[in-house]
Amino acid sequence: MTDQVTRTLLFTVLTAVLGSFQFGYDVGVINAPQEVIIEHYKHVLGIPLDDGKPIHNDTFNSTDPNFQISTPTPRPEGESTSSGLVTMYWSFSVSSFAVGGMIASFFGGWLGDRLGRVKAMLISNILSLAGALLMGLSKLGPSHILIISGRAISGLYCGIISGLVPMYINEIAPTTLRGAIGAIHQLAIVTGILVSQIIGLDFILGNRELWHILLGMSAVRAVLQSLMLFFCPESPRYLYLNLDEENKAKQSLKRLRGSADVTKDMNEMRKEKEEASSEQKVSIIQLFTNPSYRQPIFVALMLHLAQQFSGINGIFYYSTSIFQKAGISQPVYATIGVGAINTAFTAVSVFLVEKAGRRSLFLIGMSGMFVCAIFMSVGLVLLDKLSWMSYVAMVAIFLFVSFFEIGPGPIPWFMVAEFFSQGPRPAALAIAAFSNWTCNFIIALCFPYMADSCGPYVFFIFAGVVFAFTLFTFFKVPETKGKSFEEISAEFQKMGGCSAKIPKAGTEMKFLGAMEAE
């Protein structure tokens, strides 16, 4: 029996998703020590502290659960200039991570093809280690420069692994488990965010004495994963399809499957290789100019836009202030509760993705988020008039996050690969990762201005956006579970009314994560 979880497979997947964990940790780690880092910036820059007055932040981190809208009080011109300088450095500290991710997202697949999946992850850890060391030593030097540089380098690492890790774990997974194992990437990300929220508490590492250690903790993970990678087998698909090393591919499969009989897997790869040999590599430009690929890449990008523009980051953005108004004395713990639900329902999606269809889960998630966004908006608008509306908003937060992780959170990452055969797949994965990072960056820049202009009504806007994406999914996104590439291509042709001939590829989706129909 080859379609089972062996010790080697479990060890290898857990080793690989340590990179995904780092992605989530780097996203969330900057939030908790925000005020003490800003104070340290002022100390380094020679700017007087605010003598106990609250720090006003006009920047926004797209995943910051502790950020609250505040109205800055008038300040003298010199103090205003100094405050603007600190705000600029803090903004760079937050956004440099996303910029690094956008740049590097194009190179994950290329690096994996040049070096192999395992060696690429190993080499990438050099970036993770370098970024962690810069941030960990930031208290000893010009902290603003070291943190901005460290965050940018960490972003480069996360940009690479955001494509490399899903590709590797999908290639080593058994046929019937590829959807579930593919969702572990997202589970590791949200677990990283949750861990960063917990150890970032003031009494653990998020204080004036230890904040630099909090930022530099990722060095431990980089060293640990680097050591573990030496015991991980290379992707058998990479060995056979890219290097034509059949014997090495068989040995890798035997380790992963825990069985000497890997005939079934080898036959699948032989068929895939035959079909892939008739296909040429497709460039990013060709994805948009070739009528055969235009509809699938458009749908793939829309799925990622739906994930980022759904308002999930805005929910995190508002959560602490809502919990405060609800009378919770320690709202930071309620915010951690949101992170825990985020993680729990991502775990649920791992088991659901092979039971229900990808499209079905995405629709259920988006529909639930639409309803929750409406209740969230009503609760925020009526918060000052009816005190109990704060609890309506709180429940809406928890349910919104739950629905997000059932579908829109994990599914776009691996559904893109199911839309494309071997030729166009690398380019499609690269542009999808780039669009996800870009949308994340756009939200980080635009949301504070939207919140300032619209106040609590901002979530009505997100409700409208979610509703539009729900309709798009219903009419334009095909189900991929248990279907071959040719069947999915025919679905796109029918939905788009396209008369262009679909390229002969026939790569079965059982090679990519669809459940085997046997």
Side-chain angles (χ1 to χ4, degrees), residues 13-74:
V13 171
L14 292 179
T15 299
V17 299
L18 280 175
S20 310
F21 175 89
Q22 185 61 51
F23 186 175
Y25 185 87
D26 285 341
V27 164
V29 72
I30 197 71
N31 303 323
Q34 177 176 344
E35 292 192 2
V36 295
I37 292 177
I38 289 178
E39 286 185 4
H40 194 76
Y41 281 4
K42 291 183 177 182
H43 172 73
V44 170
L45 296 169
I47 298 172
L49 300 179
D50 291 339
D51 299 324
K53 293 185 290 184
I55 297 174
H56 298 282
N57 302 306
D58 303 316
T59 60
F60 169 66
N61 180 6
S62 66
T63 55
D64 183 358
N66 299 315
F67 185 93
Q68 300 177 44
I69 297 175
S70 58
T71 304
T73 55

Side-chain angles (χ1 to χ4, degrees), residues 290-293 489 493 498-504:
N290 190 318
S292 302
Y293 304 130
S489 297
Q493 188 178 23
C498 176
S499 59
K501 185 178 179 181
I502 303 297
K504 179 64 177 176

Side-chain angles (χ1 to χ4, degrees), residues 97-118:
F97 176 76
V99 173
M102 283 191 293
I103 294 171
S105 61
F106 279 111
F107 300 102
W110 175 82
L111 196 64
D113 284 344
R114 288 294 299 270
L115 301 178
R117 303 346 184 193
V118 174

Side-chain angles (χ1 to χ4, degrees), residues 148-439:
I148 292 170
S149 302
R151 291 277 293 171
I153 294 174
S154 294
L156 290 173
Y157 168 77
C158 292
I160 290 173
I161 64 95
S162 65
L164 186 59
V165 169
M167 178 170 60
Y168 177 62
I169 63 177
N170 274 278
E171 287 178 347
I172 66 174
T175 298
T176 58
L177 297 176
R178 284 207 181 111
I181 288 179
I184 294 177
H185 168 65
Q186 178 72 8
L187 176 61
I189 291 175
V190 298
T191 303
I193 294 174
L194 177 61
V195 170
S196 72
Q197 291 174 337
I198 294 173
I199 67 175
L201 291 170
D202 182 69
F203 66 88
I204 302 180
L205 293 179
N207 51 56
R208 288 179 175 81
E209 290 75 30
L210 300 174
W211 60 266
H212 60 296
I213 296 178
L214 176 68
L215 297 184
M217 280 287 287
S218 54
V220 177
R221 182 224 56 89
V223 172
L224 176 62
Q225 189 193 41
S226 296
L227 294 175
M228 294 171 69
L229 282 170
F230 285 103
F231 302 95
C232 293
E234 181 54 85
S235 162
R237 268 183 167 70
Y238 168 76
L239 292 172
Y240 185 66
L241 298 178
N242 292 63
L243 302 183
D244 199 23
E245 297 278 2
E246 184 171 342
N247 290 331
K248 290 183 179 180
K250 286 181 179 179
Q251 293 302 316
S252 179
L253 278 171
K254 289 176 182 179
R255 290 181 61 189
L256 290 166
R257 302 292 182 260
S259 171
D261 183 11
V262 292
T263 305
K264 178 182 174 183
D265 290 279
M266 290 304 301
N267 288 337
E268 289 176 351
M269 289 194 298
R270 288 191 185 99
K271 182 178 179 182
E272 186 176 3
K273 186 175 184 179
E274 290 173 3
E275 292 163 344
S277 63
S278 63
E279 278 193 297
Q280 295 181 346
K281 292 291 183 181
V282 177
S283 69
I284 291 176
I285 294 177
Q286 287 175 313
L287 286 175
F288 295 96
T289 57
N290 190 318
S292 302
Y293 304 130
R294 191 180 299 142
Q295 179 78 355
I297 193 62
F298 176 68
V299 171
L301 295 181
M302 290 297 284
L303 290 176
H304 280 277
L305 263 64
Q307 182 198 75
Q308 287 297 315
F309 292 154
S310 65
I312 186 66
N313 293 321
I315 293 295
F316 283 123
Y317 172 76
Y318 252 100
S319 60
T320 299
S321 62
I322 295 170
F323 293 140
Q324 284 177 329
K325 291 184 179 181
I328 297 177
S329 58
Q330 295 289 339
V332 65
Y333 294 106
T335 298
I336 290 176
V338 173
I341 289 180
N342 196 23
T343 304
F345 274 85
T346 305
V348 170
S349 73
V350 171
F351 298 98
L352 287 179
V353 71
E354 292 295 2
K355 301 295 182 183
R358 283 83 153 118
R359 178 178 179 272
S360 301
L361 286 179
F362 200 91
L363 279 173
I364 291 171
M366 293 294 284
S367 301
M369 290 166 68
F370 168 70
V371 174
C372 291
I374 294 295
F375 278 97
M376 179 72 174
S377 303
V378 173
L380 286 173
V381 170
L382 300 179
L383 202 59
D384 295 329
K385 297 179 181 179
L386 300 171
S387 60
W388 57 270
M389 277 293 176
S390 61
Y391 297 98
V392 173
M394 286 172 56
V395 172
I397 288 176
F398 287 110
L399 291 178
F400 190 99
V401 171
S402 303
F403 279 113
F404 176 80
E405 293 303 346
I406 285 176
I411 285 177
W413 287 106
F414 63 87
M415 203 172 184
V416 175
E418 298 183 333
F419 287 165
F420 296 94
S421 57
Q422 189 72 12
R425 194 181 304 135
L429 289 171
I431 195 65
F434 177 77
S435 68
N436 193 283
W437 278 97
T438 303
C439 292

